[in-house]
Structure formats: structure tokens, C-alpha cells
Amino acid sequence: MGAGLMAVLPAFRPIGRHAETKMLLCVGLFGLATVVFGLSRSFLLSLVALTVIGAADMVSVVVRMTLEQLATPPEMRGRVSAVNRVFVGASNELGELESGTLARLIGTVPTVIVGGLGTIVVVALWGWLFPELRAVDRLEDTRATSEEDAAEKA
């Protein structure tokens, strides 16, 4: 439900300013909602947490995919997109292996909680290690130009 809503909402209300900060906050919210889901004993709270997880993840995906397309020079977009898809697919598979293995070792609920906390730690670390991510304001300001356009401007 959350992902579906957030897939449509940006069409009517674009992300606008502070796009990368919003993306980092949404990934942090994803982690927090994952922890809440792992700790929840209430069906309603679990449903709300899963909705927030879906919405936060969708914002992250929209910002990352938009940034990937706009910041990549036109002649490189296909290759950059292909490499991104390979890495995203591989990381999903490795993440499933890691989660399944950890769940077998420590249990399902602790694995969900550790995953959410790990997400929060990674977001905080990335925000600190890569301040240029927070510096991106509007996604359209990251638009790359082709080599020909750059040569014409020079």
C-alpha cells in the first residue's frame, strides 16, 4: 500500500528540494519501521509499519533512479543502468542469503530487528562519509550533459 501510494504521489507532488537528504531520511525511516515491525505484536501496528516500509523504500528508489539517469551523460546511460541493475539484483540475492542464514542462527525476529538497525547505521555512516549526497538539492540540477554539449559550452 505504501509503495503504491508513493509510486503515484510524486507525479502530482514532485520531490523538489533537498532530494538526497529526503532520500537518506526515508532510508532511515525504512530501517526504523523495520525495527518497529520486528518488535510489533499488533496486527495493526505491523500493517502500518509495512506500509511505511513500502513508502520509504519507494521514495529511495525514485530518487536513486532519477539521480542515476540525470547525473549520467546520455551516451553512458544504458551502460550505467545495466551495471546498476546487476549490482541491485546481486545485492538483493546476497541479502536474502544473509537474512536467511542469520534467521537460522538467531531467529526471525532478531534478524528483522538487526536488519533495521543495520539500515539506520548505514544511513548515518553514508550521510557522514559522503556529505556530497546531502548537498544535492534538486534532482534536475544534477543533469549531465553529453560530451558534445560540454564541448560547445567550452
Side-chain angles (χ1 to χ4, degrees):
M1 291 185 314
L5 176 64
M6 289 311 291
V8 174
L9 188 63
F12 298 101
R13 188 161 181 206
I15 303 249
R17 302 204 57 188
H18 311 294
E20 285 296 316
T21 300
K22 288 177 183 174
M23 184 197 74
L24 289 171
L25 289 172
C26 281
V27 176
L29 181 61
F30 174 95
L32 180 62
T34 300
V35 171
V36 169
F37 177 74
L39 294 171
S40 175
R41 300 275 185 225
S42 161
F43 174 76
L44 185 58
L45 180 59
S46 296
L47 186 61
V48 169
L50 287 174
T51 302
V52 171
I53 288 169
D57 188 44
M58 184 57 74
V59 171
S60 168
V61 169
V62 167
V63 172
R64 282 184 292 116
M65 298 302 291
T66 303
L67 186 61
E68 172 192 312
Q69 291 298 307
L70 291 177
T72 304
E75 61 276 4
M76 296 292 294
R77 284 189 186 138
R79 286 171 269 193
V80 170
S81 288
V83 169
N84 182 52
R85 302 276 188 291
V86 167
F87 277 94
V88 168
S91 69
N92 286 342
E93 298 295 327
L94 289 172
E96 290 171 8
L97 173 66
E98 175 271 331
S99 295
T101 303
L102 193 58
R104 176 79 171 132
L105 294 173
I106 67 171
T108 306
V109 171
T111 298
V112 172
I113 295 166
V114 167
L117 292 173
T119 300
I120 294 167
V121 168
V122 168
V123 166
L125 195 59
W126 256 232
W128 178 66
L129 288 173
F130 303 104
E132 59 272 11
L133 285 177
R134 295 187 323 268
V136 174
D137 188 24
R138 294 182 178 276
L139 290 174
E140 57 270 12
D141 294 343
T142 62
R143 189 174 312 265
T145 58
S146 68
E147 290 177 21
E148 295 97 26
D149 292 339
E152 285 178 17
K153 289 179 182 175

